[in-house]
Amino acid sequence: DHLPVFLRELPKCEHHLHIEGTLSPELLFKLATKNSITLPSDDPAFASPATLKARYENFTSLDDFLHYYFIGFKVLINASDFEALTYDYIQNAASQSVKHAEIFFDPQAHTERGISYDTLISGLKAAKTRAAAAFPDMSIEFIPCLVRHLPVPSAHTMLEEILSAGHFHDGTVIGFGMSSTEKNMHPSLFTSVYKAAQEAGIKNLTAHYGEEGPASYMEAAIEQLSVVRVDHGRRVIEDPSLVARLAESKLMLTLCPVSNVKLRGVSQIEDLPIRELLDKGVRFSINSDDPAYFGADILGNYQAVQLAFDLTIPEWESIALGSIEGSWCTEARKQELR
Ligand code: ADE
Ligand code: ZN
């Protein structure tokens, strides 16, 4: 059974959603016009929203996607642009029974093009304030990610700025992550940044690994960066001893099934290790990553998994419960969500 009503109504937590990845081709073109941003004229994909959308059907790798993703950033200028993006995401998530969302953003990729951290975060916060009134049973949190393609000192500057704003301690952001290109980006390159975060008292540490890179990168991130969560992590399955270790520690993977197919990590959802992870007791959540680029929101990802694996209702309930337990919210909030 495809369980359409059950899956829509199942209370969900989303932990792996890049707010910049919710920028649709239509909105990208609209904002380019509003903000007088010239789109690349040497790439026919930028002829129209339709050609851009068609190009998104043919990503060949993570880096091919990231090329378009970071061009999309350039049309985001004002706090109100970030607010609109965030509010639209929340509204759609609420309609799919998302009760708790932890939203990633990439501060360095904005500040390096002249958009201040203050502009970004005030847009995100404004959306959260509006959402609190409209969707009172939903909790929303934010997580800045360092981007691996920029130099390490730039990540330190970003961390310092958020720390000096007091935003890790006043709850404006709830953790710290790492995204962007993975090949040749071994965790050991970023130990100084994660050490600084830990010394500042940040415990909610995560990083994208095991998306394109090997299981050994995931293990190194756990050991050298002290991450308590791994984003993607699908390649853990190549290392049985790491699988056993995750089952034991309950460290959560934030899987993004449709993303992995679109970026050619696997050729179909069926090739993801969902069955094995369930059977071995590895905790994971199911997420949309960059829904406007991959054509599937959180419900679309749940449905794709159901189509591929035909899970039972108790299995879905255990996935839902695991994603509550792995959330970065208070024990009191978890109790409400259970
Ligand atoms: N940034 C946005 N989406 C990403 C992904 N899937 N992997 C790495 N960095 C990202
Ligand atoms: Zn991601």
Side-chain angles (χ1 to χ4, degrees):
D1 194 346
H2 296 166
L3 306 175
V5 177
F6 173 80
L7 288 180
R8 175 173 287 276
E9 292 178 354
L10 182 67
K12 301 171 190 69
C13 299
E14 185 153 47
H15 308 111
H16 189 157
L17 177 281
H18 302 266
I19 198 59
E20 300 92 341
T22 69
L23 176 66
S24 67
E26 294 76 17
L27 184 58
L28 189 157
F29 274 75
K30 260 185 23 199
L31 289 177
T33 302
K34 174 178 91 71
N35 293 331
S36 307
I37 305 298
T38 311
L39 297 171
S41 55
D42 57 348
D43 180 349
F46 286 100
S48 71
T51 56
L52 193 55
K53 204 179 207 120
R55 179 64 179 82
Y56 293 176
E57 291 300 317
N58 295 301
F59 290 129
T60 55
S61 65
L62 172 58
D63 289 338
D64 183 40
F65 152 71
L66 290 170
H67 168 80
Y68 286 94
Y69 171 76
F70 288 120
I71 290 174
F73 277 47
K74 297 181 203 287
V75 306
L76 300 166
I77 303 292
N78 301 300
S80 60
D81 300 337
F82 292 94
E83 177 182 347
L85 216 52
T86 309
Y87 193 79
D88 286 353
Y89 162 70
I90 294 169
Q91 211 167 17
N92 186 57
S95 78
Q96 302 185 340
S97 310
V98 172
K99 302 300 178 195
H100 175 74
E102 300 177 6
I103 301 176
F104 286 137
F105 65 116
D106 293 340
Q108 292 159 273
H110 299 292
T111 54
E112 72 145 7
R113 60 186 182 88
I115 305 303
S116 72
Y117 169 72
D118 194 55
T119 297
L120 310 178
I121 200 69
S122 60
L124 300 187
K125 281 171 72 173
K128 176 170 169 168
T129 302
R130 276 167 64 201
F135 310 107
D137 69 339
M138 191 175 175
S139 41
I140 310 288
E141 306 293 351
F142 299 112
I143 304 171
C145 286
L146 81 76
V147 286
R148 286 186 283 240
H149 65 282
L150 291 179
V152 170
S154 151
H156 279 283
T157 304
M158 182 266 283
L159 176 62
E160 276 306 313
E161 177 162 24
I162 304 178
L163 279 171
S164 48
H167 285 178
F168 284 106
H169 296 109
D170 70 8
T172 302
V173 302
I174 48 147
F176 187 76
M178 182 199 287
S179 60
S180 189
T181 186
E182 180 175 2
K183 286 197 169 133
N184 303 313
M185 292 292 181
H186 192 274
S188 61
L189 297 166
F190 303 98
T191 47
S192 68
V193 186
Y194 276 72
K195 187 160 177 277
Q198 273 186 289
E199 282 169 357
I202 303 164
K203 295 191 175 68
N204 294 339
L205 298 170
T206 187
H208 282 56
Y209 274 112
E211 177 183 18
E212 281 192 342
S216 62
Y217 281 20
M218 297 174 59
E219 189 163 37
I222 294 164
E223 285 174 359
Q224 299 175 33
L225 307 180
S226 304
V227 299
V228 295
R229 191 186 272 182
V230 173
D231 300 309
H232 291 290
R234 66 171 187 88
R235 289 190 60 186
V236 67
I237 208 64
E238 296 166 20
D239 180 350
S241 72
L242 187 57
V243 170
R245 188 172 163 185
L246 298 194
E248 167 79 27
S249 68
K250 295 293 169 208
L251 182 148
M252 183 173 69
L253 306 178
T254 66
L255 301 179
C256 305
V258 174
S259 167
N260 294 157
V261 173
K262 295 288 175 158
L263 302 188
R264 315 269 185 109
V266 292
S267 51
Q268 50 178 1
I269 305 276
E270 285 81 348
D271 298 337
L272 288 165
I274 304 250
R275 172 49 56 202
E276 293 86 336
L277 296 177
L278 269 176
D279 291 348
K280 298 237 152 61
V282 174
R283 179 177 288 166
F284 62 86
S285 61
I286 294 171
N287 307 272
S288 63
D289 205 3
D290 304 286
Y293 290 84
F294 306 143
D297 53 19
I298 187 165
L299 181 57
N301 275 270
Y302 274 61
Q303 288 167 334
V305 168
Q306 180 58 9
L307 204 57
F309 292 98
D310 196 23
L311 303 182
T312 64
I313 286 180
E315 284 169 338
W316 277 112
E317 286 169 344
S318 84
I319 293 171
L321 194 59
S323 53
I324 294 169
E325 300 307 327
S327 289
W328 286 338
C329 53
T330 61
E331 186 53 37
R333 178 65 183 144
K334 284 186 190 178
Q335 193 49 43
E336 289 173 0
L337 292 168
R338 276 178 201 126

